[in-house]
Amino acid sequence: MRLPDEFEKAASGAIVRVSVEARASSGVRRAGLAVAYSTNDVGNSGWRNFRLRQDFSTFEFTWAVPTMIAGNGDYIGLHAILGLPIEIRRVTAEVVDSSS
């Protein structure tokens, strides 16, 4: 998912929190979700792996975004681990500390 340019500018050099509300699809016993924040310019958070449960739960991580150079767009990547079906209810990103 591409984030708005305004968010990219606000996140540059700041700490962001990425949250995903998700669960394993009905009938799936083992499912996982990998989430990454990517700048398409100066780096990415790397994949953060989460084990999903049958009920919706919120999974989150923070990452210090490097200062942008060219501003090629920021993205949140989502990947269903093992290729098993999952359900995603909400994805959010917020700048939590811009004092960097």
Side-chain angles (χ1 to χ4, degrees):
M1 292 184 241
R2 188 171 194 293
L3 298 168
D5 290 341
E6 297 77 25
F7 188 89
E8 176 187 23
K9 290 173 188 165
S12 176
I15 296 174
V16 297
R17 177 184 298 123
V18 177
S19 301
V20 179
E21 189 177 358
R23 71 177 179 185
S25 289
S26 179
V28 176
R29 291 179 37 186
R30 288 181 28 197
L33 172 66
V35 184
Y37 187 104
S38 300
T39 67
N40 194 29
D41 185 21
V42 292
N44 66 72
S45 67
W47 290 107
R48 308 295 175 95
N49 299 317
F50 302 101
R51 185 171 183 173
L52 302 182
R53 303 182 266 286
Q54 293 298 306
D55 296 324
F56 277 105
S57 298
T58 300
F59 304 92
E60 62 183 33
F61 67 91
T62 58
W63 184 57
V65 179
T67 302
M68 73 173 159
I69 297 170
N72 295 322
D74 285 6
Y75 296 82
I76 295 175
L78 305 165
H79 173 67
I81 299 172
L82 304 175
L84 296 172
I86 63 173
E87 297 175 36
I88 297 172
R89 181 184 280 171
R90 180 178 300 129
V91 178
T92 62
E94 62 182 316
V95 176
V96 294
D97 184 358
S98 59
S99 61
S100 304

